[in-house]
Amino acid sequence: MQQITLNVQGMSCGHCVNSIENSVGEVTGVDNVTVVLEQGKVDVVFDENKTSVKEITDVIEEQGYEVV
Amino acid sequence: MQQITLNVQGMSCGHCVNSIENSVGEVTGVDNVTVVLEQGKVDVVFDENKTSVKEITDVIEEQGYEVV
């Protein structure tokens, strides 16, 4: 397991939190997602043999947010 | 038919727009809802014999926004 903290722009409300937690949470290999809205941070725990930082950031950007 | 423009606080993103348009749009007697996110305004066209400003503002506040 690996843990990353991504800085994400554009998250503004509880709907955004749900949108990211649900979409990232559905990625195979992702064990846990926590969004800290006030800090613009997304913590992800994942199995690096099953997914990658690239796949996770792609999913976030598909939802309309920017990983910076 | 009657048309009102409500000032609503707390709408911050496209999810908020959907949340308000869908919930207000489902009220019996509401003919049209348009949210202008940048201006914090919600335009509603409704049949005053079937619903009321009070019912419409209650629905918006139930979604977690404040009508000011």
Side-chain angles (χ1 to χ4, degrees):
Chain A
M1 285 291 172
Q2 193 173 331
Q3 197 271 334
I4 48 166
T5 300
L6 300 167
N7 292 294
V8 178
Q9 282 184 343
M11 304 185 301
S12 55
C13 72
H15 297 113
C16 298
V17 172
N18 291 341
S19 166
I20 289 180
E21 288 187 342
N22 292 338
S23 60
V24 176
E26 281 173 6
V27 174
T28 303
V30 168
D31 195 55
N32 195 266
V33 194
T34 308
V35 176
V36 187
L37 182 61
E38 297 72 22
Q39 298 175 12
K41 298 208 181 284
V42 179
D43 284 326
V44 187
V45 178
F46 64 100
D47 183 336
E48 63 271 37
N49 296 314
K50 291 187 184 161
T51 186
S52 63
V53 174
K54 168 86 171 75
E55 188 176 8
I56 292 164
T57 58
D58 280 355
V59 166
I60 293 173
E61 297 198 327
E62 278 163 18
Q63 297 291 314
Y65 306 98
E66 197 180 355
V67 181
V68 291
Chain B
M1 285 290 170
Q2 192 173 333
Q3 197 271 334
I4 48 164
T5 300
L6 300 167
N7 292 296
V8 179
Q9 283 184 342
M11 304 186 299
S12 55
C13 71
H15 298 113
C16 298
V17 173
N18 291 341
S19 167
I20 289 179
E21 288 187 342
N22 292 338
S23 61
V24 176
E26 281 173 7
V27 174
T28 302
V30 168
D31 194 53
N32 194 265
V33 195
T34 308
V35 176
V36 186
L37 183 59
E38 298 71 23
Q39 298 175 12
K41 298 211 181 283
V42 178
D43 283 327
V44 187
V45 178
F46 63 99
D47 182 337
E48 63 271 37
N49 296 315
K50 292 186 183 163
T51 186
S52 62
V53 174
K54 169 87 170 75
E55 187 177 8
I56 292 164
T57 58
D58 280 354
V59 166
I60 293 173
E61 297 198 326
E62 278 164 17
Q63 298 291 315
Y65 306 98
E66 197 180 353
V67 181
V68 291

